[in-house]
């Protein structure tokens, strides 16, 4: 193993450096990980653009991380050198009210790798063993990097209490929208309606990821189509995976969500929306927040190992770590064909 390594550092909005630094040594309760693949998330894009108020600079991005353990501290018991692992990015104190009541993903002092503290866009890094989970070593690295976003789908659908007899509306068919679609199908949902302004994204959602019906909100009357599909009842669950200013108000439109329905926003827009008490209480809607994931790493990795997710096409773009400049170029000059990017580190394609 080399003594030096490379890491990507965003020094300020729209500026980054590739630095060469010493390979770190794990503490007694830590493991040293050789990074093998990392997903590029929308939050990484916001950080580079200076749009994340919770981030600080300089910062190593990346919270969708998988790798091989190359060394373990003397106190580590469950993880050993050679293990393929996924790394939890939610750092928590374990003592606050939220942690004591099983809500560690929103810990009072939560700290997020790749946002509030350094992430995984580097060749080697250390993490406490308690945040590291072993995965099946037969999972290709290009797929393993998507375990984290898949946990978002599993967590958000769990928060939504999705059940077989639900009719689900998903607004936005990007990576998270299509992942939610898959998670709903795994939970046995019989009717899923996906809505977007992109025909190609909608076609992809129906062909590959489980959508039963699609609606183009740019060219179709969404309420009318939902009413037609649901025989006038509306949907019992609506996910706002579009997450732009006004999208939450839109999915709450009467005719889309039925009385006693559940609405799950997935974004972090800070722009106020015109939502009234009547809009919620008139139909007794549940507005259910969801952030990151909780207790989903091992079951999601198991589902992936068992082939329960459709992986082909979920990531559209693969960039070698040595060509990391292309990732930032795609952020500055976005290509509609780039839905999800995965960074592959040396050895990931072997």
């Amino acid at each position: 193993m080399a003594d030096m390594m490379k890491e990507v550092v965003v020094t300020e909005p729209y500026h980054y450096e590739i630095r060469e630094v010493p390979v770190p040594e794990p503490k007694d309760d830590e493991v040293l990980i050789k990074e093998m693949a990392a997903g590029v998330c929308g939050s990484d894009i916001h950080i580079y653009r200076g749009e994340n108020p919770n981030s600080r600079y300089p910062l190593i991005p990346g919270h969708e991380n998988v790798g091989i353990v190359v060394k373990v501290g003397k106190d580590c018991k469950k993880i050993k050198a050679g293990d393929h692992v996924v790394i939890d990015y939610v750092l928590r104190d374990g003592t606050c009210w939220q942690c004591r009541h099983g809500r560690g993903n929103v810990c009072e002092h939560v700290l997020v790798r790749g946002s509030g503290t350094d992430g995984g866009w580097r060749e080697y890094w250390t993490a406490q063993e308690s945040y590291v989970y072993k995965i099946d070593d037969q999972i290709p690295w290009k797929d393993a990097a998507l375990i984290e976003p898949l946990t978002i789908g599993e967590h958000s659908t769990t928060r939504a209490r999705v059940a077989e007899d639900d009719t689900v509306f998903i607004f936005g068919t990007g990576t998270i929208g299509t992942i939610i679609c898959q998670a709903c199908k795994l939970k046995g949902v019989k009717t899923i309606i996906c809505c977007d302004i992109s025909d190609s994204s909608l076609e992809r959602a129906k062909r590959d990821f489980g959508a039963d019906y699609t609606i183009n909100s740019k060219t179709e009357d969404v309420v009318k189509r939902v009413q037609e599909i649901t025989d006038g009842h509306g949907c019992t669950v609506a996910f706002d995976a579009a997450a732009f200013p006004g999208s939450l108000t839109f999915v709450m439109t009467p005719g889309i969500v039925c009385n006693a329905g559940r609405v799950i926003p997935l974004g972090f827009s800070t722009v106020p929306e015109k939502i009234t008490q009547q809009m919620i209480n008139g139909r007794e809607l549940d507005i259910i927040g969801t952030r990151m994931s909780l207790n989903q790493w091992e079951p999601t990795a198991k589902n992936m190992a068992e082939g329960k997710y459709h992986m082909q096409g979920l990531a559209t773009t693969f960039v070698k770590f040595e060509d990391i400049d292309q990732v930032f170029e795609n952020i500055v000059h976005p290509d509609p064909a780039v839905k999800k990017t995965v960074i592959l580190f040396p050895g990931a394609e072997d």
Side-chain angles (χ1 to χ4, degrees), residues 269-290:
S269 172
T270 58
V271 178
E273 298 195 33
K274 294 182 179 179
I275 295 172
T276 67
Q277 293 183 23
Q278 167 61 19
M279 291 168 67
I280 299 170
N281 295 334
R283 287 177 284 158
E284 200 171 65
L285 301 179
D286 289 354
I287 312 299
I288 304 171
T290 181

Side-chain angles (χ1 to χ4, degrees), residues 279-305:
M279 291 168 67
I280 299 170
N281 295 334
R283 287 177 284 158
E284 200 171 65
L285 301 179
D286 289 354
I287 312 299
I288 304 171
T290 181
R291 186 181 182 192
M292 299 180 290
S293 67
L294 182 70
N295 302 327
Q296 297 293 344
W297 296 101
E298 292 174 307
T300 301
K302 184 174 184 289
N303 282 344
M304 182 178 286

Side-chain angles (χ1 to χ4, degrees), residues 169 171 195 217 222 244 246-254 256 273:
F169 180 85
F171 187 40
C195 181
S217 56
V222 177
F244 59 79
S247 60
L248 177 57
T249 306
F250 173 75
V251 300
M252 292 174 63
T253 301
I256 294 179
E273 298 195 33

